[in-house]
Amino acid sequence: MLETKADTPTLILDAAEQLVLEHGFAATSLDMILTEVSLTKGAFFHHFRSKAELGRALLERFAERDRALLDGVLARSGRLARDPLQRLFLVIGLLQEEALALTEPHPGCLMASYCYERQLFGDAVHAIIAETFVYWREQLGQLIHAAMAVRPPRREVSAADVADLLTSVSEGAFILSRATADPALLGRQLQQYRNYLELLFDEK
Amino acid sequence: MLETKADTPTLILDAAEQLVLEHGFAATSLDMILTEVSLTKGAFFHHFRSKAELGRALLERFAERDRALLDGVLARSGRLARDPLQRLFLVIGLLQEEALALTEPHPGCLMASYCYERQLFGDAVHAIIAETFVYWREQLGQLIHAAMAVRPPRREVSAADVADLLTSVSEGAFILSRATADPALLGRQLQQYRNYLELLFDEK
Amino acid sequence: MLETKADTPTLILDAAEQLVLEHGFAATSLDMILTEVSLTKGAFFHHFRSKAELGRALLERFAERDRALLDGVLARSGRLARDPLQRLFLVIGLLQEEALALTEPHPGCLMASYCYERQLFGDAVHAIIAETFVYWREQLGQLIHAAMAVRPPRREVSAADVADLLTSVSEGAFILSRATADPALLGRQLQQYRNYLELLFDEK
Amino acid sequence: MLETKADTPTLILDAAEQLVLEHGFAATSLDMILTEVSLTKGAFFHHFRSKAELGRALLERFAERDRALLDGVLARSGRLARDPLQRLFLVIGLLQEEALALTEPHPGCLMASYCYERQLFGDAVHAIIAETFVYWREQLGQLIHAAMAVRPPRREVSAADVADLLTSVSEGAFILSRATADPALLGRQLQQYRNYLELLFDEK
DNA sequence: ACAAGCGGGACTACCCGTTGTT
DNA sequence: AACAACGGGTAGTCCCGCTTGT
């Protein structure tokens, strides 16, 4: 049906992403990737100028999908509700749904991985990472801000900080989930985040 | 008095830790470390059997210090208060104090770094990481459990999950703080965690 | 009018010659050449069987032009004078004219370049180089021989050696001119050669 | 007797110089050199930071020896005669002696070789080449200048140009000698240079 | 306890040439 | 006639670890 005949660059990116999340970027050799997709160096360097460029392309694709994920849940929440507070909880709910579907620990976040190999990358890469984190802060922050207008929170908080907290909890849970080999951990941590929001916006 | 003339293994570990947190373990070559401390391979292999052993020693020292940090704040909180609820907020407060003292982004967590280079390490290393995260869950979890006995929380939560949340938020904030080059971010995120606890244990 | 739309092989040869004189043959990759002329491998291998064949074709064209240069000045000198001595000085003069027109150092001689990468080429190429140098020795040597018949030289010299000297001085001046970034050097060295001939054939 | 136990860098330089003069720098692989001296890459990179640095070291040693050759013949000529004109002819004579001793074509000049692979090297290398050629121009030029003071030449010439001519003739003869596989050619060309000087400084 | 030198292997980058297609 | 894609091989670089010596 969806005869998605994957093209070579995509095949390479797919294999690379998975390997990088397991080994780190530096320890992921081109040979490892190319063995995975049954190609040779010649093919690789026809599509990418260097390994560094592969790293950048990998991150760019990841960041785009990451923003698309947020855009998606924001859009869906908008179709299901008008009230910002309801929308906010819908957003968290949709993310929780995905977390609950995991049967093994979340594969992790490429941006976090790159952060722990910071010196390997140039400013262009650092900028993409920062922008993507800030995108969540701003997009989600707007919704939180709107919710705070509808219902004053029980603690004086910054919408940006509360938005960042979702990112923090997620990133931290990715790591913890992997370290303890517990696929359900992410869902439980997102539930804590939901608890926080519920208490924050509790009536009375 | 405290003329602690650092011995060679310690010098190596210090340089290595800083470099690994910036470059990742794979991309940190022995030459880089040894240049930093003005030593040669001969000296290194006299003290460490291999690079892998250095990695293990690095992690062990880090994990010990990490547990010691928790032991320390727990002990101090015990000297300042008896009530578990008060002690819990003291623990968070002491950790916040450290976060507020940062003038540049937190250097990060070696355990998180290793998680994103998982395949480079053996089960012995993975075990240390898991145990250290579980140590926080259990030690802090006990205190939270005691607090919940004193004052029933406004949401039904597991003490372990609430304890894990501190780890998640911290790990996530390390990454976010670095990515956005914002040293104060960690403190603000810990404040969100404190908010959560305050709302959870609010007396109506 | 003479809208000589250069054909592909010529375009390739032109770009290759310039690049080889700057980088040497080994360090001139096909990709470099093809980027220069905006073509791909497919086009190249349609016109040349291999890089080695390009090298041969390059040299052959160069050697032909080199012999044509000598033929040209010899023919022009023959139209301007009958006396071999006069013709000889006319030949040198015409070559000097070209040297004086240079605004940047002479691009160099492909045969000299190949001599310093001798092992890359086969006997066929070596033969072309030797024959071209010998062609100058013989053609110019004949004229010098005739001049010596007309006017006995003040030193007993071999016509072939005196002919070779023009090649030596030129080849050496190409190098010296480049090394010192002095476009006028070639002209000044040819003047020394002319001085030698003048003194050699001085009437007492 | 002179138990000259060659050290590793010297062994490498010796093998490299010979190979570079035959193949050119680009086409001389480290493997070729290291096979010749029975070493491995590990050993090479312990002594040289890169192939480029080898190239520089190679040239520096060559240039030093080249200047030492001139210094040597100038010094010997000074011990054998006082008169600059006599010294000048002694210098040429000593150089001719060396040329006549050759049983196979002169191995060539590294500086000329590098000139035909110009783009491979940086300005530091270009500077060394230019300085070395200029050294001959100045040192030999001084002697020629002194000779011209003693005996006015029969043509108005610049001492520098006459000095350069020796370099030109030599460099050109290296190439011609190789191309025609004629070891005696260099000696015969130097004889032409001597003829030129004799005629230039002829009495009457 | 540490330094110098070196072996052996891995990795990125690049290069030449071929194939299939338009 | 020309291009995109790719295979196979090789070059330069670097890295870990061992040996030998002081």
Side-chain angles (χ1 to χ4, degrees):
Chain A
M1 187 73 104
L2 255 285
E3 189 56 31
T4 324
K5 186 54 157 42
D7 57 351
T8 301
T10 301
L11 280 173
I12 292 174
L13 287 170
D14 287 343
E17 181 169 319
Q18 181 219 325
L19 288 166
V20 167
L21 286 172
E22 287 285 324
H23 301 256
F25 185 78
T28 303
S29 74
L30 295 183
D31 280 330
M32 280 171 58
I33 300 168
L34 295 168
T35 298
E36 198 75 15
V37 294
S38 298
L39 285 172
T40 60
K41 302 269 181 66
F44 176 83
F45 282 99
H46 179 72
H47 296 288
F48 299 92
R49 249 193 304 274
S50 66
K51 191 190 177 190
E53 214 219 77
L54 169 69
R56 203 185 41 70
L58 219 45
L59 177 67
E60 246 163 41
R61 196 181 68 155
F62 188 93
E64 272 167 35
R65 290 178 173 179
D66 191 56
R67 284 193 296 263
L69 167 65
L70 178 56
D71 292 343
V73 292
L74 281 175
R76 284 167 68 191
S77 78
R79 284 194 293 273
L80 296 170
R82 294 238 68 111
D83 176 56
L85 201 51
Q86 286 182 30
R87 283 188 60 198
L88 179 55
F89 284 106
L90 276 169
V91 163
I92 308 304
L94 292 169
L95 294 174
Q96 271 183 293
E97 258 180 31
E98 299 210 7
L100 290 172
L102 294 172
T103 59
E104 46 187 327
H106 190 281
C109 170
L110 205 60
M111 298 182 293
S113 175
Y114 280 26
C115 275
Y116 277 107
E117 287 182 286
R118 192 140 246 273
Q119 296 295 334
L120 271 52
F121 304 98
D123 288 338
V125 160
H126 298 154
I128 295 173
I129 295 173
E131 285 163 20
T132 307
F133 282 137
V134 169
Y135 186 78
W136 279 72
R137 174 187 296 167
E138 289 176 350
Q139 295 303 108
L140 192 64
Q142 276 188 0
L143 186 56
I144 293 171
H145 192 78
M148 283 163 59
V150 168
R151 171 104 48 92
R154 296 172 59 94
R155 280 288 179 289
E156 186 140 354
V157 291
S158 128
D161 287 346
V162 177
D164 276 355
L165 186 63
L166 177 59
T167 305
S168 292
V169 171
S170 302
E171 291 290 351
F174 294 160
I175 291 164
L176 212 44
S177 165
R178 274 206 166 182
T180 58
D182 177 358
L185 192 143
L186 175 59
R188 296 200 307 273
Q189 292 293 292
L190 287 178
Q191 180 58 43
Q192 306 306 308
Y193 183 69
R194 167 184 279 274
N195 290 347
Y196 179 39
L197 292 184
E198 284 178 3
L199 292 166
L200 205 53
F201 290 108
D202 198 9
E203 315 178 58
K204 173 135 52 92
Chain B
M1 186 69 111
L2 256 285
E3 187 56 31
T4 324
K5 188 54 161 39
D7 57 350
T8 300
T10 302
L11 278 174
I12 292 174
L13 286 169
D14 287 344
E17 182 169 318
Q18 182 220 325
L19 288 167
V20 168
L21 286 172
E22 288 284 325
H23 301 256
F25 184 77
T28 302
S29 74
L30 295 185
D31 283 329
M32 276 173 61
I33 300 168
L34 295 168
T35 298
E36 197 75 14
V37 294
S38 299
L39 286 171
T40 60
K41 298 274 177 64
F44 176 84
F45 283 100
H46 181 74
H47 295 288
F48 299 91
R49 250 196 305 274
S50 67
K51 193 192 176 188
E53 214 221 77
L54 169 70
R56 203 185 42 69
L58 219 45
L59 178 66
E60 249 164 37
R61 195 180 70 154
F62 188 92
E64 272 167 33
R65 290 177 173 180
D66 191 57
R67 283 194 297 264
L69 167 66
L70 178 56
D71 292 345
V73 292
L74 282 173
R76 284 167 69 193
S77 78
R79 285 194 294 273
L80 295 169
R82 295 240 67 114
D83 176 55
L85 202 49
Q86 286 183 30
R87 283 188 61 197
L88 179 55
F89 285 105
L90 276 169
V91 163
I92 308 304
L94 291 169
L95 294 174
Q96 272 184 290
E97 259 180 30
E98 299 211 7
L100 291 173
L102 293 172
T103 59
E104 48 188 326
H106 190 282
C109 169
L110 205 60
M111 297 182 294
S113 176
Y114 280 27
C115 274
Y116 276 106
E117 286 182 288
R118 186 141 253 272
Q119 296 294 335
L120 306 194
F121 304 99
D123 289 338
V125 160
H126 297 155
I128 295 172
I129 295 173
E131 286 163 19
T132 306
F133 281 137
V134 169
Y135 186 78
W136 279 71
R137 172 187 296 168
E138 290 176 349
Q139 294 305 109
L140 192 64
Q142 276 187 0
L143 186 56
I144 293 170
H145 192 77
M148 283 164 58
V150 169
R151 170 103 49 93
R154 296 171 58 94
R155 280 289 179 290
E156 186 140 354
V157 292
S158 130
D161 287 346
V162 178
D164 276 354
L165 186 64
L166 177 60
T167 305
S168 292
V169 171
S170 302
E171 292 289 352
F174 293 161
I175 292 164
L176 214 42
S177 166
R178 275 205 164 187
T180 59
D182 178 358
L185 192 144
L186 175 58
R188 296 201 305 275
Q189 292 293 292
L190 288 178
Q191 180 59 43
Q192 306 306 309
Y193 183 70
R194 168 184 278 271
N195 289 347
Y196 179 38
L197 292 182
E198 284 178 4
L199 291 166
L200 205 53
F201 290 109
D202 197 7
E203 314 175 61
K204 173 117 54 78
Chain C
M1 188 67 112
L2 256 284
E3 189 56 28
T4 323
K5 188 57 161 34
D7 57 351
T8 300
T10 301
L11 278 173
I12 292 174
L13 287 168
D14 286 344
E17 181 170 319
Q18 182 219 325
L19 287 167
V20 168
L21 286 172
E22 287 284 323
H23 301 256
F25 185 78
T28 302
S29 74
L30 294 184
D31 283 330
M32 278 173 60
I33 299 168
L34 295 168
T35 297
E36 197 75 15
V37 294
S38 299
L39 286 172
T40 60
K41 298 272 176 64
F44 176 83
F45 283 100
H46 181 76
H47 296 287
F48 299 92
R49 250 196 304 275
S50 67
K51 193 192 176 189
E53 213 222 77
L54 170 69
R56 204 185 40 69
L58 219 45
L59 178 66
E60 249 163 36
R61 194 181 70 155
F62 188 92
E64 272 167 34
R65 290 177 173 180
D66 191 57
R67 283 194 297 263
L69 167 66
L70 178 56
D71 292 344
V73 292
L74 282 175
R76 284 167 69 194
S77 78
R79 285 194 294 271
L80 295 170
R82 294 238 68 113
D83 176 55
L85 202 50
Q86 284 183 31
R87 283 187 61 199
L88 179 55
F89 284 105
L90 276 169
V91 163
I92 308 305
L94 292 169
L95 294 175
Q96 269 182 293
E97 259 180 29
E98 299 211 7
L100 290 173
L102 294 173
T103 60
E104 46 189 328
H106 191 282
C109 170
L110 205 60
M111 297 182 293
S113 177
Y114 280 26
C115 275
Y116 275 106
E117 287 182 287
R118 185 141 254 273
Q119 296 294 335
L120 307 193
F121 304 98
D123 288 339
V125 160
H126 297 155
I128 295 173
I129 295 173
E131 285 163 19
T132 307
F133 281 137
V134 169
Y135 186 79
W136 279 71
R137 173 187 296 167
E138 289 176 349
Q139 295 303 109
L140 191 64
Q142 275 187 2
L143 185 57
I144 292 170
H145 192 78
M148 284 164 60
V150 169
R151 172 102 49 92
R154 295 172 58 94
R155 281 287 179 291
E156 186 137 355
V157 290
S158 129
D161 287 345
V162 177
D164 276 354
L165 186 63
L166 177 60
T167 305
S168 292
V169 171
S170 302
E171 291 289 351
F174 294 161
I175 292 164
L176 212 44
S177 166
R178 275 206 163 186
T180 58
D182 178 359
L185 191 144
L186 175 59
R188 295 202 305 274
Q189 292 293 294
L190 288 178
Q191 180 58 42
Q192 306 306 309
Y193 183 69
R194 167 185 278 274
N195 289 347
Y196 178 38
L197 292 183
E198 284 178 5
L199 291 165
L200 206 52
F201 290 109
D202 197 10
E203 314 176 62
K204 179 142 31 110
Chain D
M1 186 71 109
L2 255 285
E3 188 56 32
T4 324
K5 186 54 159 43
D7 57 351
T8 301
T10 302
L11 280 173
I12 293 175
L13 287 169
D14 287 343
E17 180 169 320
Q18 181 220 323
L19 288 166
V20 168
L21 286 172
E22 286 286 324
H23 301 256
F25 185 78
T28 303
S29 74
L30 295 183
D31 281 329
M32 280 171 60
I33 300 168
L34 295 168
T35 299
E36 197 76 15
V37 294
S38 298
L39 285 171
T40 61
K41 301 264 184 73
F44 176 83
F45 282 98
H46 180 73
H47 296 287
F48 298 91
R49 249 193 303 272
S50 66
K51 192 190 176 190
E53 214 219 77
L54 169 69
R56 203 185 43 69
L58 218 47
L59 177 66
E60 246 163 41
R61 195 181 69 156
F62 188 93
E64 272 167 34
R65 290 178 174 179
D66 191 56
R67 284 194 295 264
L69 167 66
L70 178 57
D71 292 343
V73 291
L74 281 174
R76 285 167 68 194
S77 79
R79 285 194 293 273
L80 296 170
R82 294 236 69 111
D83 176 56
L85 202 51
Q86 285 183 32
R87 282 188 60 199
L88 179 57
F89 284 105
L90 276 168
V91 164
I92 307 305
L94 292 168
L95 293 175
Q96 272 183 292
E97 258 180 29
E98 299 210 7
L100 291 173
L102 294 172
T103 59
E104 47 187 325
H106 190 281
C109 170
L110 204 60
M111 298 182 292
S113 175
Y114 280 26
C115 275
Y116 276 108
E117 286 182 289
R118 193 139 244 273
Q119 296 294 334
L120 273 52
F121 304 98
D123 288 338
V125 159
H126 297 154
I128 295 173
I129 295 173
E131 285 163 18
T132 307
F133 281 137
V134 169
Y135 187 78
W136 279 71
R137 174 188 296 168
E138 289 176 350
Q139 296 303 110
L140 191 65
Q142 276 187 1
L143 185 57
I144 293 171
H145 191 78
M148 282 163 59
V150 168
R151 170 104 47 92
R154 296 173 57 96
R155 280 288 179 289
E156 187 141 352
V157 291
S158 130
D161 287 345
V162 177
D164 276 355
L165 186 63
L166 177 59
T167 305
S168 293
V169 171
S170 302
E171 291 290 352
F174 294 161
I175 292 164
L176 213 44
S177 164
R178 274 207 166 182
T180 57
D182 177 358
L185 191 145
L186 175 58
R188 296 202 306 273
Q189 292 293 294
L190 288 178
Q191 180 58 43
Q192 304 307 307
Y193 183 69
R194 167 184 278 275
N195 290 346
Y196 179 37
L197 292 183
E198 284 178 4
L199 291 166
L200 205 52
F201 290 109
D202 198 9
E203 316 179 57
K204 170 133 54 78

